[in-house]
Amino acid sequence: MQQAMAAEAQKRGMTPQQFQAAQRAQLEADAKKAGLTFEQYINQLKQQAYQNHQRQQQLAQQQQATGQQSPTTPGPPQQGQQVPINPGTPDPRAVAVAKWLRSQDLKARTCILNGQRKDMFKVKRALRAIESPAYTTACKKKNSGLPALTPAFPATEVFKLLPLSLLALRVSKADPHEGHNHAPPAKATKRTKGLWHVRIEQQQDISPDLHYIFLYEGPQWRTKLYAGGALLLIMAVIMFPLWPVKLRIGVWYLSMGMVGLIGLFFLMAIFRLILFVATMFTVPPGLWLYPNLFEDVGFFDSFRPVWGWQEEKKKKSKSSKKGHDHKSVTPTTADGQTPSAPITAATSTATESGAYERRNLTPRIEEVEED
């Protein structure tokens, strides 16, 4: 430090003592301009230097963590390259792109991320949508905020804006029981077909066959509206004693009407069961009142038709089973030996004729033409 001060003083044609006195006079003048004493001004300079030093250390640590990118000449990016994420305020262009992609048909499928349902899509479908004429038309609209496609800023660069602003991230399929340190269940639980459990990947690559999920949910005005309505309803119920007398009487009549409808429904269910049991013995197979009452149909379809007969279960034909039994039987002679081919044919013919005769034993009505 002293050598540097001596060199600086020599450049200015001063002695080191004169250089220090000139610096002190300059600092005192700056302190007076700032309205501070000399000691307060020195402490302020020290704090600023310390804060700058800390910022430089944090920037150096971030560069070591993310890795410095090697300088390259500008050109179209290659597919599969990694995208560094810098969390912060989302880019307005990225928000516009995410909002536009959410309105497109990307054939998104529902997945589960940390117990929450998210929309998952493939990168290739998003790139096709960005390269489509619809995107070009949307870019030309006033105040759209969508970045235009250029040779220096192709579709992949537009898609990069989403992970850079944490509006869409790359995911991969994961096992929901991974890391739980327990044995697999004896009987696998029923899983909804096509519903993936996913996890976010550290390397946010861009490749056509990779999967991304939307973290951008858009404006939540509908959810806020529902929440506000539920809050108002709860407050109205809590303040029921403060309601006008006429309103309270009206609510009481409505509640009694609902209780009456529920009771009438139970009475109807009991009556239709009694009617079915009575008609099952008198007029089989039995009569149902409102046969679709408990079926998985709409409200009005539950009361159509008004009545109907009990459907009989169709008996399975046993012809195939009988044919199998006939084929499995091997005829034998009196001495226990297998007969020759002619005897086998005769036996099979007799068996078939016997089976035919047995099938015709049941009585039947035939119509005879009158002379």
Side-chain angles (χ1 to χ4, degrees):
M1 179 67 72
Q2 292 181 358
Q3 292 179 357
M5 290 178 60
E8 187 67 24
Q10 187 175 2
K11 287 180 182 179
R12 300 186 181 186
M14 303 168 62
T15 61
Q17 292 77 13
Q18 292 176 350
F19 182 70
Q20 289 181 358
Q23 278 191 336
R24 184 178 180 86
Q26 184 65 31
L27 291 174
E28 288 178 352
D30 293 339
K32 288 181 180 179
K33 289 180 182 179
L36 302 173
T37 62
F38 181 74
E39 290 78 8
Q40 292 176 348
Y41 186 70
I42 294 297
N43 292 333
Q44 185 179 8
L45 292 178
K46 289 181 180 179
Q47 290 179 359
Q48 291 178 358
Y50 180 71
Q51 291 177 358
N52 292 334
H53 180 66
Q54 283 187 338
R55 290 175 185 173
Q56 290 179 358
Q57 286 184 345
Q58 290 178 358
L59 290 175
Q61 290 177 0
Q62 289 180 359
Q63 289 178 357
Q64 291 178 0
T66 58
Q68 296 180 353
Q69 295 182 350
S70 57
T72 55
T73 57
Q78 298 180 354
Q79 295 179 348
Q81 61 186 12
Q82 299 176 1
V83 178
I85 297 177
N86 299 319
T89 305
D91 190 348
R93 299 180 302 170
V95 175
V97 172
K99 185 177 180 180
W100 185 83
L101 286 176
R102 294 282 291 184
S103 63
Q104 301 300 308
D105 183 16
L106 301 181
K107 296 182 180 179
R109 54 189 298 186
T110 304
C111 63
I112 298 178
L113 175 66
N114 298 329
Q116 297 180 354
R117 292 176 178 262
K118 300 291 183 181
D119 292 333
M120 181 175 64
F121 62 95
K122 276 192 174 183
V123 175
K124 62 181 181 182
R125 294 193 176 95
L127 294 179
R128 289 174 188 170
I130 296 173
E131 293 173 350
S132 65
Y135 181 82
T136 306
T137 305
C139 289
K140 295 179 181 178
K141 293 182 179 179
K142 188 176 181 181
N143 299 327
S144 64
L146 295 172
L149 294 177
T150 59
F153 201 76
T156 51
E157 290 292 331
V158 175
F159 186 80
K160 273 185 186 180
L161 297 174
L162 300 180
L164 286 174
S165 298
L166 299 178
L167 300 180
L169 293 177
R170 180 197 163 198
V171 294
S172 62
K173 191 175 182 180
D175 183 8
H177 301 285
E178 185 179 359
H180 290 182
N181 296 325
H182 60 73
K187 185 178 181 181
T189 57
K190 186 176 180 181
R191 184 179 66 87
T192 306
K193 185 177 180 181
L195 199 60
W196 283 13
H197 288 264
V198 297
R199 63 169 179 268
I200 297 176
E201 292 292 335
Q202 294 182 355
Q203 303 296 338
Q204 296 296 308
D205 303 338
I206 295 178
S207 181
D209 294 331
L210 297 180
H211 291 88
Y212 271 68
I213 61 169
F214 277 116
L215 298 181
Y216 174 76
E217 300 294 342
Q220 301 294 323
W221 61 268
R222 184 175 297 178
T223 304
K224 295 177 181 178
L225 184 62
Y226 289 160
L231 182 61
L232 291 176
L233 181 62
I234 293 172
M235 293 297 296
V237 173
I238 292 174
M239 299 176 68
F240 179 76
L242 301 179
W243 287 18
V245 178
K246 291 183 179 180
L247 285 178
R248 283 186 284 174
I249 294 175
V251 170
W252 184 83
Y253 279 116
L254 287 176
S255 61
M256 290 299 101
M258 292 298 297
V259 171
L261 287 176
I262 294 173
L264 183 62
F265 179 81
F266 280 104
L267 288 176
M268 183 177 60
I270 296 172
F271 174 74
R272 69 190 292 269
L273 180 60
I274 295 173
L275 180 63
F276 170 73
V277 173
T279 55
M280 185 174 60
F281 297 101
T282 58
V283 190
L287 180 68
W288 279 111
L289 183 66
Y290 299 118
N292 293 329
L293 186 62
F294 296 106
E295 296 296 331
D296 188 12
V297 293
F299 176 78
F300 295 102
D301 293 334
S302 299
F303 300 95
R304 290 195 295 257
V306 178
W307 63 276
W309 296 102
Q310 170 69 14
E311 296 181 358
E312 295 182 355
K313 295 183 179 179
K314 297 181 180 179
K315 296 181 179 180
K316 296 182 179 179
S317 61
K318 300 181 180 180
S319 58
S320 60
K321 185 177 180 181
K322 289 181 179 179
H324 179 72
D325 294 341
H326 294 325
K327 291 179 181 179
S328 61
V329 173
T330 304
T332 57
T333 59
D335 55 356
Q337 297 180 357
T338 304
S340 58
I343 299 176
T344 305
T347 306
S348 62
T349 305
T351 305
E352 291 178 0
S353 62
Y356 179 77
E357 290 176 358
R358 284 196 297 272
R359 286 197 296 270
N360 289 337
L361 289 176
T362 57
R364 60 183 179 178
I365 300 174
E366 296 181 356
E367 295 181 358
V368 180
E369 296 180 358
E370 296 180 358
D371 295 333

